[in-house]
Structure formats: C-alpha cells, structure tokens
C-alpha cells in the first residue's frame, strides 16, 4: 500500500495559481488590470497574462470592450449558480429565508464558514428603500461580524440535554462562550459602517453548525430593542425550521436576548 500523504503533497502549483487568479477576480466588483493582478498574486505579468488568456478563451474571464482590466466571465457565474442549486442547505434554507424577510422586512443572509472567514453566500433582500448594500459573495474575518462569531461559537458539536441549553466549550474564549450561551450574536458595524446584524446558527444532524442565518439592516432599524422584541424570536424560529429540515433535533436555546 502507498503511504498516506498530506493533501498538499498532491497540489499542482500551476493549478493553484490559476484558482488564486479566479478568486482574486471574484473578490472585486470592478475590473482588475494585469499589473494589479500580478502585484496581488505575487506572479510575473507574463504568467498572469497566459492564465488570463486561457480563461478568456474558455469564457471564465472576460475583458469588456474599452475596459482596461479583466473580470469574471459568464461561464464562471454559470458554474457558481449550478453549484448553489445543488447545495442541500441552500435549497432547504431559501424558502424559509423568503418568509423571514417578508415577516421582518429586513435582508436575510445565509452565511457559511470558509476557513477563518465568514462567506455571505445567499440573501433575500429587504423591501425598504434604505438598506445595506448586498453582501453576497463578500467575506469577513470570523471575529469581525456577528455571523462569523456564531460560526466560531458553535464549531464544536452541540450536545442535546433535556432541560439544559448548550454548555460553553472550554476551548473557546469568554466572548465566544457568551455567544454560545446566548445562542445568538448581535453587532454594530461588523459588515459596514452604519450596519447592524443579528445572527444565529444552523445545525445539521451531527450537532455542529453548518452555517448561520443573519438579519442585517441599518443600525437605526436593527436596534437592541427591535432584536429582542421581534427580530430574534422570528430569526430563531426560522433557524429551527431550517435545522430540522437538515435533520437536527436538538434542544432549544435559552431566550435571554443578545447583548
């Protein structure tokens, strides 16, 4: 038998560079120039240009007429949409998110953990004219936003014990333990100046958080009072529905509000 090897043993540098290029383009809303991409990726311009030309010929990257830079092409978006359509979590969460957005009249987000970042993967928008710009596709360090701290707090499996909430894990710090004990997290400006967010975890059958459900809006609407009186109860009910669809039958969280 062949000896077991770490996954990095099999990594192909040229493929890693190509994927890093696509990720860089996907993180920006505007076009990126050849020089900017070369600097950002730490690669020489000739190598970056060859990768861009290859992706452009296949439709993954495009350069619009008159533009000085490159952006993701339609095929990249098509692949992304196919992936999203096949995600069990997204399929089960979306109808519940739509109902929650109608109920609370604020934007509702599905957030996943991507290594040490929170990735905002889907959203049902608010009907208000004044709202936070779309965060779909954006990533934030886990500790910088409410949804990320929820994902950190519930990274370890949640053990169901009748009559008890969820015991804080000894391996996480005090701030994250508070989030775990409350079962939710509320923050100001975590995803942008003037924003406020309240987030709760989503669980699958094993008891670990597979994502977070968040309500986000301007901080003059998403106030602590509004959260405790209406938004958090509705958010928790929606999260319970999604988690049950994913096979989780755990205990309910303590309803002490968030601070």
């Amino acid at each position: 038998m062949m000896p077991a090897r770490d996954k990095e043993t099999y990594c192909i540098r040229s493929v890693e560079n190509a994927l890093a290029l696509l990720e860089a383009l996907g993180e920006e809303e505007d076009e990126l120039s050849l020089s900017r991409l070369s600097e950002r990726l730490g690669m020489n311009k000739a190598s970056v240009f060859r990768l861009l030309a290859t992706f452009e010929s296949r439709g993954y990257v495009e350069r619009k007429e008159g533009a000085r830079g490159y952006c993701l092409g339609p095929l990249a978006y098509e692949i992304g949409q196919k992936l999203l359509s096949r995600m069990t979590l997204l399929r089960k969460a979306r109808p519940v998110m739509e109902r929650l957005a109608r109920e609370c009249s604020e934007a509702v987000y599905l957030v996943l953990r991507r290594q040490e970042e929170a990735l905002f993967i889907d959203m049902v928008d608010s009907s208000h004219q004044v709202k936070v710009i779309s965060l779909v596709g954006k990533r934030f360090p886990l500790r910088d936003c409410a949804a990320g701290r929820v994902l950190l707090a519930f990274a370890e499996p949640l053990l169901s014990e009748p009559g008890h909430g969820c015991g804080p894990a000894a391996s996480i710090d005090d701030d994250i333990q508070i989030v775990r004990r409350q079962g939710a997290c509320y923050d100001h400006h975590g995803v942008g100046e003037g924003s406020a967010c309240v987030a709760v975890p989503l669980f699958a059958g094993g008891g670990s958080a597979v994502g977070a459900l968040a309500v986000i809006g301007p901080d003059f609407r998403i106030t602590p009072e509004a959260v405790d009186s209406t938004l958090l109860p509705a958010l928790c009910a929606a999260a319970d529905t999604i988690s049950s669809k994913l096979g989780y039958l755990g205990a309910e969280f303590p309803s002490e509000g968030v601070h």
Side-chain angles (χ1 to χ4, degrees), residues 122-138:
D122 193 26
M123 178 262 288
V124 178
D125 206 357
S126 163
S127 58
H128 289 288
Q129 288 188 333
V130 179
K131 52 191 173 184
V132 176
I133 62 171
S134 174
L135 301 172
V136 174
K138 300 292 186 182

Side-chain angles (χ1 to χ4, degrees), residues 106-107 132 135 146 185-199 214-224 227 231:
E106 297 293 350
V132 176
L135 301 172
C185 185
Y186 172 71
D187 74 7
H188 280 90
H189 318 308
V191 294
E193 191 68 25
S195 69
C197 172
V198 57
V215 171
I216 296 177
D219 57 8
F220 64 83
R221 287 202 307 262
I222 311 293
T223 62
V227 167
L231 295 177

Side-chain angles (χ1 to χ4, degrees), residues 13 38 57 72 75 109 132 143 162 165 174 183 191 222 233 256 258:
R13 176 63 62 181
S38 174
S57 70
L72 289 180
L75 190 56
Y109 282 86
V132 176
R143 289 186 176 273
D174 290 343
V191 294
I222 311 293
E256 61 180 70
V258 291

Side-chain angles (χ1 to χ4, degrees), residues 87-94 110 112 202 210-211 242 246:
M87 287 183 61
T88 300
L89 173 57
L90 186 59
R91 288 202 313 271
K92 294 182 182 297
R94 183 73 187 192
L110 178 64
L112 304 182
L202 299 173
V210 293
I242 296 171
L246 297 172

Side-chain angles (χ1 to χ4, degrees), residues 29-49:
E29 294 182 5
D30 299 324
E31 293 89 357
L32 289 175
S33 67
L34 177 61
S35 297
R36 179 77 183 278
L37 284 166
S38 174
E39 179 182 351
R40 183 166 179 171
L41 298 173
M43 298 167 56
N44 62 63
K45 291 183 180 179
S47 297
V48 175
F49 180 78

